[in-house]
Amino acid sequence: MLRSKAAMLFRLASKCFALTGLLISVACASAHAATVTDSCAAFENGPTSEVAAHRVYTARALDILRASMAADSTSLAQLVSPDAEFSVFRGDYSTSAKAKGPAGAIEMVADMDVVSYQTLLTPRGPIAVMPSECLWTATLLLRTHEDGRGITMRFKFVDGRLIPARGDEVEILEGKLTQTE
């Protein structure tokens, strides 16, 4: 009888320990989520859809491009980390901006000669996402004045600010599919 009481107390203590661990992990996750949502664009109200988050960061990348085209250092200082690096790989060489931060963004955009953009947003259903840290990447196809050429540029954001932008020059093949009879 003493053994069965000891075994029962052990099981009860184990369950209490497991429940305490679960409550602590939930509290820590909730505290972390609150921290992320306070500083993370697109997630101010908590979890959201991937498409909605992509729209926010695509808009932010476009704001950076437009501010860079206008040489608006004041706006860029809010959107771009002072240590952000910029590079575009063109075949076997890179045309990296020598400057970093807002000045690097202005230098990069002047070199690219961008006239339009495209991006793809893939809806994955009614699934909400919440990053464990405020980190997001937006990828845009930037079209230039040169027909059939563009730059696929990846804008990486941490805490809503651009940290690097890296791109690859691409050839764009497009056309219409028609059915022949």
Side-chain angles (χ1 to χ4, degrees):
M1 180 150 156
L2 189 55
R3 271 191 186 170
S4 66
K5 282 188 178 184
M8 187 172 74
L9 285 174
F10 179 76
R11 281 193 302 266
L12 182 60
S14 296
K15 287 180 182 177
C16 287
F17 182 72
L19 182 60
T20 301
L22 177 65
L23 290 173
I24 289 171
S25 67
V26 167
C28 289
S30 296
H32 179 72
T35 303
V36 170
T37 58
D38 290 345
S39 65
C40 195
F43 298 97
E44 295 91 346
N45 299 318
T48 190
S49 75
E50 276 189 84
V51 169
H54 280 305
R55 284 178 197 255
V56 167
Y57 286 98
T58 295
R60 188 158 287 203
L62 293 170
D63 288 344
I64 290 168
L65 290 169
R66 289 180 183 114
S68 297
M69 291 170 131
D72 182 356
S73 297
T74 304
S75 294
L76 289 169
Q78 300 299 312
L79 299 167
V80 177
S81 167
D83 297 325
E85 295 181 351
F86 304 90
S87 60
V88 176
F89 291 88
R90 301 173 187 271
D92 61 350
Y93 68 96
S94 168
T95 55
S96 300
K98 289 180 177 59
K100 292 182 178 183
I106 293 168
E107 184 181 339
M108 175 194 69
V109 169
D111 177 60
M112 293 190 312
D113 194 29
V114 175
V115 294
S116 65
Y117 76 95
Q118 290 177 288
T119 191
L120 301 173
L121 306 174
T122 306
R124 303 203 194 287
I127 299 171
V129 294
M130 184 70 204
S132 59
E133 52 188 313
C134 190
L135 175 68
W136 206 267
T137 301
T139 303
L140 281 72
L141 171 60
L142 305 173
R143 305 294 292 260
T144 64
H145 284 289
E146 192 176 348
D147 284 340
R149 290 245 185 247
I151 297 167
T152 300
M153 188 66 103
R154 291 165 303 287
F155 296 83
K156 185 175 180 181
F157 296 92
V158 170
D159 294 331
R161 294 181 84 192
L162 181 69
I163 54 170
R166 293 195 170 94
D168 293 293
E169 185 177 61
V170 294
E171 271 190 56
I172 302 168
L173 303 175
E174 61 185 322
K176 297 184 187 258
L177 293 176
T178 58
Q179 184 175 357
T180 58
E181 296 181 35

